[in-house]
Amino acid sequence: MCLRTQPFEVIALIVGYLDLDDVRNLSICSHHFRYLAYDQAICKKVFQTGSISGLEADEAHRDRDYPRGFRRLIKRREAISSAFPFLTAVVAVADSSLYENGVLCHIRERQLCLLDVHRSADQEIVVDIRKLLDEAIPESEGSRKYSFQLLYQAGGIVSCLYTHARPHPAHWLVVFNPSEGQIITTRRLDSAEKIFARSNSNFVYYGVQSDIGDDGFRRWVLEGFDILQGRWFEDSLHLPDTVGSDIDSTICFEIIGNFFCVLTNETSFELDRIEYTSYYDFFRFPLDRPRRREIERPSKRNLFRRQHSEGAIDDRWTFMKIFCDELSGELKILESRKEWPGGGSTPTRTYYTKTLHMTERSEERRSLLDLEEEEEEEDQYAENERLAPFPGITVKSNQGCAPSRDPSEVHVGDDGATSVMFTLCKCFIRSYHPSSQTFMDLVDDPDPSNPNEQRIRIRAGSRLPWAQSGRDGSMLADNLEQQPMQTKTQEQLDNHYEQSGVISWPPEGRSRALDDLHNILNPPGYTGNVQGTWDTRSLIYTTGGQANGGVKALILVSFDPSIHLKGSRAFDHQTSATVWKGDLGKRLRDTQASLIPEKVVVEHRTSVSAGSGSRGRGCGAVEDGAHAWASDEPAQYLAIDMGLHFGKVARPT
């Protein structure tokens, strides 16, 4: 039977059994199937069948343009796996910044600017911080020495921490909606120790380590605010048994859907205690009911992390996230660990994901039988591990008890055998993209001819299932079950996946175009002190601050083909990529000087209201009649005018 001669109805039925990658591969294997990536019904079926979520899916459902969403999603994933972005630009110069949920918030000269990167906004909301504080916190009026720290941004809601020292030290949480000119709530805090905030359009939560236990260790306390009801929840949620203090390293807090989620990879406050079998601790509760009896947890077996016998860990490299898988919609854990497998001498960075299966029962309703079974299982792990090293003692192998790892949830990175490894101080962003099966770092990789000059590069490695790579995997060994866990997992990985080599971008070589690209990634006069963050479609990092009054340049590297900043120029590898004239460093300094206001004058502009979906009006333009502390102004990157897009450049296959 020839597939290309089948009627459309049969092809549509077949597509219902294929995943996103299968449909993409089928659409490019022959010109007869090219229409699959452009057909409305086929692409809609792909989105609906695969439970695909994320920005592309949301916009496809909203605009009813499923082919565009399908192609955009495929292009983004391929750009990440090939480490070949669609856009890079210097988007701002600032004293401090925060990038959350596609919106870049940055502070410069007591002005807070918000730029919606995901919507390619050419206008940014500018907030006069002093005027905002005068209205939000009357006690702050007249204070000129204070700190204003960005905490979080989501759904147009910004959370910040205000602190002043005179006449007495005091902290306030300030939550506001800049597009509507609305101060949502303020609260004076007794403690700001390790403060964080999370929010969506309906709720705001913050947490601090304000409780101190009998052992001297600090404990987390959560407070919640209902935006629609305009009130704080009466009771605080105390977390006396939740261990971990380094956010995104040992503990994570996230709002996912209608739940507040907490994840930690530590289970004991005792630093010298050896955990022979390590577990995650995860729980969640509904945003509108922050009570202990509403807490839900997976089974303990579902939270298995690792065994002590798998090797030592360098905790400095660990990062951790909770996320909702964009292809399956499942709730998952992501953790990266640098380990010495089997006690060897060569460390390897490995990326682990784990699917969480939530129980329908709350913490208080879980049966004693379930808890006893989990405790007995953990005790068996520990007993076997403790006795195993002693000769003459026969113990049951833990291998039969330890949950096996799915090969799709373990990605072994490089160990330096095929490429240069970087020290932690030269590796500024460490990320992993499960949907693309790709790890990606932002590193300083100086040219050997000029080792003292900063050269920022992206370093990435991906993998493909044997079926996609065009080769057949061999069958698993018959005695695989009898091998140690680590050996067994590696055997499974070798039989399921083909690893790509580590690739770097920009490529090696010299040309006028590459020199222009180098000047964007390493702006003249703004080098050193690199810090950054990432999401599923972009990297944003700051560089500089050692000169220029502590001001840093903010650089965007985007893998989303739909993000296009106005004024960015097409990259041409054969000739000069730009028509830029003069010193680019001087241009940045001139832009920086122009941002220092002699007198802050805030004007109102009539603009499109939030949620209109108008391109170029990100994070909600300021509504007409808003308060005097918020306004719309042209995005700073328009004046800087240092951006390149790579849409027409031949991309790796």
Side-chain angles (χ1 to χ4, degrees):
M1 180 184 71
C2 183
L3 190 60
R4 65 184 177 87
T5 62
Q6 298 303 307
F8 176 83
E9 291 78 9
V10 174
I11 298 297
L13 183 63
I14 294 174
V15 166
Y17 293 92
L18 303 180
D19 62 20
L20 182 75
D21 291 316
D22 293 331
V23 177
R24 178 262 180 192
N25 292 336
L26 184 59
S27 70
I28 64 174
C29 73
S30 169
H31 68 276
H32 296 287
F33 299 113
R34 182 176 173 81
Y35 73 91
L36 294 177
Y38 295 86
D39 185 86
Q40 179 79 359
I42 292 292
C43 293
K44 181 178 181 180
K45 196 175 188 69
V46 172
F47 277 103
Q48 292 177 337
T49 304
S51 300
I52 297 174
S53 59
L55 186 60
E56 291 88 354
D58 293 342
E59 293 191 358
H61 291 307
R62 185 194 67 200
D63 301 334
R64 302 296 178 185
D65 190 350
Y66 295 98
R68 181 178 182 273
F70 174 83
R71 296 192 301 272
R72 178 184 175 187
L73 178 57
I74 290 295
K75 288 180 179 179
R76 171 172 63 84
R77 295 177 63 197
E78 292 180 348
I80 290 173
S81 61
S82 61
F84 201 111
F86 281 96
L87 172 77
T88 182
V90 181
V91 290
V93 290
D95 300 315
S96 61
S97 62
L98 173 76
Y99 179 62
E100 293 285 355
N101 299 295
V103 175
L104 175 63
C105 310
H106 54 94
I107 295 176
R108 176 70 183 130
E109 293 295 334
R110 297 191 178 184
Q111 289 186 331
L112 167 62
C113 304
L114 296 96
L115 176 69
D116 194 331
V117 175
H118 283 179
R119 294 191 180 184
S120 307
D122 58 11
Q123 296 276 312
E124 58 188 13
I125 299 176
V126 179
V127 175
D128 186 317
I129 296 175
R130 184 64 266 168
K131 291 186 177 182
L132 168 69
L133 294 175
D134 287 345
E135 180 178 336
I137 307 173
E139 296 94 328
S140 72
E141 191 170 354
S143 177
R144 295 299 171 185
K145 292 186 177 180
Y146 60 86
S147 68
F148 190 79
Q149 178 186 349
L150 295 165
L151 296 179
Y152 197 69
Q153 185 286 144
I157 308 299
V158 181
S159 302
C160 300
L161 175 67
Y162 166 77
T163 303
H164 69 217
R166 294 181 180 180
H168 304 288
H171 308 279
W172 278 268
L173 178 72
V174 184
V175 182
F176 58 97
N177 186 329
S179 63
E180 297 179 1
Q182 176 190 7
I183 297 173
I184 295 174
T185 186
T186 60
R187 183 176 237 200
R188 185 162 182 167
L189 308 177
D190 295 328
S191 171
E193 183 73 23
K194 295 282 186 178
I195 187 171
F196 73 90
R198 298 291 183 265
S199 64
N200 60 16
S201 57
N202 297 324
F203 296 92
V204 177
Y205 277 83
Y206 77 90
V208 291
Q209 283 193 325
S210 57
D211 282 356
I212 301 179
D214 295 336
D215 53 8
F217 289 100
R218 289 184 174 271
R219 265 66 168 183
W220 290 100
V221 179
L222 303 180
E223 303 278 359
F225 182 81
D226 188 328
I227 296 176
L228 299 180
Q229 299 293 329
R231 63 179 180 86
W232 288 92
F233 293 110
E234 294 181 1
D235 298 325
S236 305
L237 185 59
H238 296 259
L239 307 177
D241 301 320
T242 301
V243 187
S245 58
D246 298 324
I247 294 180
D248 293 337
S249 179
T250 60
I251 194 166
C252 292
F253 301 94
E254 294 294 344
I255 290 179
I256 299 179
N258 296 319
F259 291 89
F260 189 96
C261 302
V262 181
L263 168 70
T264 175
N265 56 16
E266 295 184 347
T267 55
S268 174
F269 289 100
E270 300 175 20
L271 300 179
D272 57 349
R273 177 180 174 182
I274 297 177
E275 296 287 352
Y276 290 90
T277 299
S278 173
Y279 294 90
Y280 297 104
D281 184 20
F282 176 86
F283 63 88
R284 69 180 187 181
F285 57 84
L287 291 172
D288 59 346
R289 299 190 301 278
R291 296 185 287 269
R292 295 197 66 84
R293 64 175 176 270
E294 300 293 341
I295 287 178
E296 298 177 353
R297 296 178 185 268
S299 67
K300 192 161 188 176
R301 187 174 181 84
N302 185 210
L303 294 174
F304 171 76
R305 181 175 177 243
R306 70 188 303 271
Q307 290 184 299
H308 184 62
S309 58
E310 293 182 57
I313 301 178
D314 186 346
D315 290 324
R316 300 173 304 163
W317 290 83
T318 300
F319 68 83
M320 185 172 61
K321 286 184 178 292
I322 320 167
F323 70 101
C324 187
D325 190 276
E326 65 179 15
L327 299 183
S328 66
E330 296 175 315
L331 187 63
K332 292 188 176 183
I333 295 171
L334 164 65
E335 185 182 25
S336 169
R337 303 194 291 264
K338 186 173 184 178
E339 302 170 306
W340 278 259
S345 59
T346 303
T348 300
R349 288 167 60 194
T350 306
Y351 307 87
Y352 299 90
T353 55
K354 176 176 283 291
T355 303
L356 295 172
H357 304 287
M358 301 303 300
T359 62
E360 296 298 328
R361 296 164 293 176
S362 69
E363 187 178 54
E364 292 186 355
R365 292 194 292 268
R366 294 175 70 192
S367 69
L368 291 176
L369 180 61
D370 291 338
L371 296 175
E372 289 174 357
E373 288 178 352
E374 291 173 0
E375 290 176 359
E376 182 179 350
E377 185 177 276
E378 181 183 12
D379 291 342
Q380 184 63 52
Y381 278 136
E383 185 67 17
N384 291 341
E385 287 279 4
R386 281 192 289 268
L387 296 178
F390 295 95
I393 299 180
T394 303
V395 298
K396 180 181 177 181
S397 171
N398 276 349
Q399 199 58 41
C401 303
S404 59
R405 294 191 177 107
D406 188 327
S408 66
E409 297 184 340
V410 181
H411 187 167
V412 179
D414 65 306
D415 58 4
T418 58
S419 63
V420 177
M421 294 292 285
F422 291 83
T423 60
L424 187 62
C425 65
K426 293 289 187 179
C427 189
F428 310 115
I429 296 179
R430 305 179 299 280
S431 66
Y432 185 73
H433 302 265
S435 62
S436 303
Q437 298 279 291
T438 302
F439 64 86
M440 183 177 293
D441 299 332
L442 186 81
V443 300
D444 182 10
D445 183 17
D447 190 289
S449 63
N450 193 358
N452 295 322
E453 181 180 349
Q454 175 178 297
R455 186 175 69 158
I456 296 296
R457 302 183 80 192
I458 292 172
R459 177 180 181 275
S462 61
R463 65 178 184 177
L464 283 175
W466 283 115
Q468 287 192 30
S469 64
R471 299 173 60 183
D472 294 327
S474 59
M475 299 299 293
L476 296 177
D478 294 336
N479 62 343
L480 199 57
E481 293 78 8
Q482 302 175 5
Q483 298 177 3
M485 171 181 284
Q486 215 157 26
T487 305
K488 176 180 176 180
T489 302
Q490 187 60 52
E491 288 276 356
Q492 291 174 326
L493 290 172
D494 292 341
N495 283 278
H496 283 82
Y497 291 96
E498 179 187 23
Q499 301 279 353
S500 73
V502 175
I503 52 179
S504 297
W505 181 91
E508 295 283 1
R510 293 298 301 271
S511 68
R512 293 178 62 189
L514 287 176
D515 288 345
D516 286 339
L517 177 57
H518 172 81
N519 286 333
I520 291 177
L521 298 175
N522 310 272
Y526 292 82
T527 57
N529 194 29
V530 181
Q531 295 177 317
T533 187
W534 60 282
D535 62 12
T536 57
R537 59 196 68 244
S538 302
L539 306 175
I540 284 189
Y541 65 94
T542 63
T543 179
Q546 298 174 341
N548 305 306
V551 177
K552 306 170 185 176
L554 278 68
I555 292 88
L556 165 70
V557 180
S558 173
F559 297 89
D560 187 340
S562 69
I563 296 178
H564 184 91
L565 301 185
K566 184 181 293 185
S568 59
R569 296 168 171 82
F571 180 85
D572 186 349
H573 206 306
Q574 303 301 319
T575 62
S576 178
T578 71
V579 291
W580 291 323
K581 302 295 183 182
D583 185 353
L584 296 181
K586 182 177 184 299
R587 176 180 300 175
L588 274 178
R589 291 190 293 272
D590 291 344
T591 303
Q592 174 185 333
S594 69
L595 297 175
I596 303 177
E598 296 180 3
K599 182 179 180 181
V600 178
V601 178
V602 182
E603 301 177 355
H604 294 301
R605 293 176 173 82
T606 303
S607 57
V608 183
S609 62
S612 66
S614 174
R615 186 175 180 84
R617 293 285 183 177
C619 59
V622 177
E623 293 186 353
D624 193 25
H627 287 274
W629 45 263
S631 66
D632 277 350
E633 294 186 7
Q636 198 181 130
Y637 70 79
L638 295 173
I640 296 174
D641 193 26
M642 292 175 62
L644 293 173
H645 66 83
F646 306 88
K648 296 183 179 180
V649 179
R651 310 187 74 80
T653 57

